[in-house]
Amino acid sequence: MPLQRIVRVCLEHPTSVVCVAGVDTLVDIYGSVPEGTEMFEVYGTPGVDIYISPNLERGRERADTRRWHFDASLEIIVVMNSPSNDLNDSHVQISYHSSREPLPLAYAVLYLTCVDISLDCDLNCEGRHDGNFVDKRQWVWGPRGYGAILLVNCDRDDPSCGVQDNGDQHVRCLQDLEDMSVMVLRTQGPAALFDDHKLVLHTSSYDAERARVFHICGPEDMCEAYRHVLGQDKVSYEVPRFHGDEERFFVEGLSFPDAGFTGLISFHVTLLDDSNEAFSASPIFTDTVVFRVAPWIMTPSTLLPLEVYVCRVRNNTCFVDAVAELARKAGCKLTICPQDENRNDRWIQDEMELGYIQAPHKTLPVVFDSPRNGELQDFPYKRILGPDFGYVTREPRDRSVSGLDSFGNLEVSPPVVANGKEYPLGRILIGGNLPGSSGRRVTQVVRDFLHAQKVQPPVELFVDWLAVGHVDEFLSFIPAPDGKGFRMLLASPGACFKLFQEKRKCGHGRALLFQGVVDNEQVKTISINQVLSNEGLISYNKFVQSCIDWNREVLKRELGLAECDIIDIPQLFKTERKKAVAFFPDLVNMLVLGKYLGIPKPFGPIINGRCCLEETVRSLLEPLGLHCTFIDDFTPYHMLHGEVHCGTNVRRKPFSFKWWNMVP
């Protein structure tokens, strides 16, 4: 509840006071008391409720039930619940009594004018809670929680404007208002009250840097009517008295939650008494609302795909055609970044991550631009940012980034339950080094941003053993019709050696890898026998397996997975400059489009006319209702230490679960 206001009565002349509907006013009768006072009575006109309380912590009793012994510890509380029609149209009368006198010793009169003031916004978040019974100064998570939500207005609804909407202090087009939250100031009471009282909308300088408020001051269909009144250098605004009892404001977020910013922003309206020209205006009442800035949310590969992105470069025509066909089967839109825009940078997965933000009134896709800044660095801002498609990025001030700052090293799990805690939006997975070691890590500004979103708490995995250093080199997630609704795929040298040993026992030791690789003289075939007799390769892959096993245990613990939730995919690695790269195309680095999988063609040993690696993968995944398509990415991607997933990106349908219903 808002803080009570204390009013002192005077015996010499009546006192006029402004009350706010539904808010307690404490009446101090002890400063001016007739000599000999032993008792008092207090009465009010209809519509005025008066209570007596020993103190604020104890219960209250109606004051008009009896005569009260005069005790300085008693508190008189006046409450009015309906606004006045005229100034001073209600009053409270206090009579002072002595047992030695038949008549009252004196009277004091308090004239009351009641005004109803409320600063409101959508607190219910689609019916989470009845807004009549919530504290607007609080923001509470969960299905029984409450609180208003603010979107960062990070799209660009007017394509002719050179900046994002949150970088502009003007409303350039009416569509921009759809990305904002509405805040309403309601006032009821005598109009004459505001001849010497005023309403001020205000916020802190800290919050003013993170949100902006527009006041509609004219025809709603004109952009010029929306006046910037709070935000950045503006921390207060005297609300003019227009016609009517309701003033509407549009609020936009300027900043995402981040290090030092929880995402909570408060706005206040204060009624000020400006009736005495000799003094500064004094506050009578303040109402407050709190918004939470909506977090940026990632989408796992198990969600429905909507749009596939791929780059066309000088030697990947067949690859692009294969991705286009897979997108067609999955019913996805296909967006191709042409070579004159990508300048032969094909790693579109590394350049950006596609997610979304959401409020009850609007869901907005938002691209997170990585700090890698390759030749594709302009693509997210120049080609994806636009009407109803937002943009955010984080770059270290010293611009020191490593390969781990590419977003092939940024993935998210499907929804999980781990250690008794639900993660209905999954958990972000990023790669780093072992705890306590000094290897590569994702840059601090990106880690801070991801942790601050709260709804997908990150898990840091060990990837510094990899040359490229991305989590998508050894894991992926696919949808499944049973169990938890998904399977996690892990690259497994152990499974690969086991498969090759079985094939050798069956007399296929001379079967060759890399047969059929087109237009690549650098690649030499190698038999199963040669692989299994290569002690250096075997020894190195035991090391790789130990690194993956370390991550396996972390993932089981942090995602609540059992062995039945994990599928081991045969894969070998080799060493380059003491770091691991895929020996043959990395099978887990796949494109997942619903039930359609675009998997790197491994060019494994051909046995009975079929690639035994492809056959093994089919036997593991197709019983789950999935369709495996093996895409030749050998020359344009694998030889450059990337695969299908690295060369594609996907915008997906948002979660049906609303983020505000979770408890972080």
Side-chain angles (χ1 to χ4, degrees), residues 77-327:
I77 303 167
V78 174
V79 183
M80 295 185 69
N81 292 308
S82 299
S84 299
N85 294 316
D86 299 297
L87 295 176
N88 300 325
D89 64 357
S90 299
H91 71 267
V92 171
Q93 178 176 285
I94 303 162
S95 57
Y96 299 87
H97 298 268
S98 169
S99 60
R100 294 183 294 274
E101 298 290 340
L103 298 176
L105 300 177
Y107 293 94
V109 178
L110 190 66
Y111 287 101
L112 304 175
T113 302
C114 184
V115 61
D116 193 359
I117 298 172
S118 179
L119 189 61
D120 296 316
C121 48
D122 179 12
L123 300 175
N124 294 343
C125 294
E126 299 184 342
R128 286 197 302 169
H129 202 291
D130 186 344
N132 294 324
F133 301 97
V134 303
D135 184 351
K136 294 185 292 184
R137 298 171 299 172
Q138 304 292 323
W139 205 98
V140 180
W141 293 89
R144 296 187 59 80
Y146 51 86
I149 293 170
L150 199 59
L151 294 177
V152 176
N153 194 8
C154 58
D155 66 342
R156 184 166 56 200
D157 288 315
D158 181 358
S160 66
C161 184
V163 297
Q164 294 168 252
D165 292 340
N166 59 342
D168 192 345
Q169 297 185 8
H170 303 277
V171 174
R172 298 291 182 182
C173 64
L174 296 178
Q175 184 183 350
D176 192 19
L177 299 171
E178 298 174 7
D179 303 333
M180 303 185 195
S181 296
V182 176
M183 183 168 64
V184 181
L185 172 60
R186 296 183 174 92
T187 58
Q188 287 183 287
L193 175 70
F194 293 96
D195 292 342
D196 53 14
H197 290 73
K198 59 185 179 182
L199 288 167
V200 175
L201 189 70
H202 55 104
T203 189
S204 69
S205 57
Y206 180 87
D207 287 351
E209 294 177 359
R210 292 160 177 82
R212 185 184 291 121
V213 179
F214 296 92
H215 184 200
I216 180 168
C217 302
E220 294 187 3
D221 59 351
M222 295 181 60
C223 292
E224 296 78 9
Y226 297 88
R227 177 183 174 190
H228 170 217
V229 297
L230 286 183
Q232 295 172 309
D233 58 335
K234 298 181 179 182
V235 296
S236 66
Y237 170 63
E238 183 176 340
V239 182
R241 291 292 295 172
F242 296 120
H243 55 81
D245 300 327
E246 185 173 294
E247 299 293 338
R248 288 204 301 156
F249 300 85
F250 289 82
V251 189
E252 64 178 356
L254 304 181
S255 302
F256 281 95
D258 212 327
F261 176 43
T262 64
L264 294 177
I265 294 174
S266 299
F267 294 102
H268 320 273
V269 65
T270 296
L271 176 64
L272 294 172
D273 182 350
D274 200 25
S275 60
N276 194 326
E277 295 181 358
F279 303 100
S280 60
S282 59
I284 294 175
F285 168 78
T286 296
D287 199 16
T288 297
V289 294
V290 175
F291 288 89
R292 182 177 289 279
V293 176
W296 179 76
I297 300 172
M298 291 181 63
T299 53
S301 57
T302 50
L303 286 177
L304 184 70
L306 300 175
E307 183 174 8
V308 178
Y309 295 82
V310 65
C311 291
R312 188 182 299 281
V313 295
R314 62 174 178 266
N315 64 343
N316 75 339
T317 299
C318 293
F319 177 86
V320 172
D321 291 345
V323 170
E325 176 60 18
L326 199 70

Side-chain angles (χ1 to χ4, degrees), residues 321-396:
D321 291 345
V323 170
E325 176 60 18
L326 199 70
R328 185 194 65 78
K329 290 180 180 178
C332 297
K333 177 182 177 182
L334 178 69
T335 295
I336 299 174
C337 176
Q339 188 171 352
D340 60 350
E341 292 182 21
N342 64 55
R343 296 184 289 275
N344 228 41
D345 183 355
R346 66 204 70 201
W347 309 116
I348 199 164
Q349 180 66 226
D350 289 342
E351 183 58 41
M352 62 188 190
E353 186 67 39
L354 297 160
Y356 68 96
I357 57 177
Q358 188 172 51
H361 68 281
K362 184 73 177 278
T363 299
L364 189 72
V366 175
V367 57
F368 185 11
D369 190 358
S370 81
R372 74 182 278 263
N373 290 340
E375 296 299 323
L376 268 170
Q377 63 176 324
D378 295 333
F379 180 74
Y381 190 84
K382 290 186 176 180
R383 306 297 288 184
I384 295 183
L385 169 64
D388 284 343
F389 211 128
Y391 172 94
V392 63
T393 190
R394 288 294 181 273
E395 293 192 15

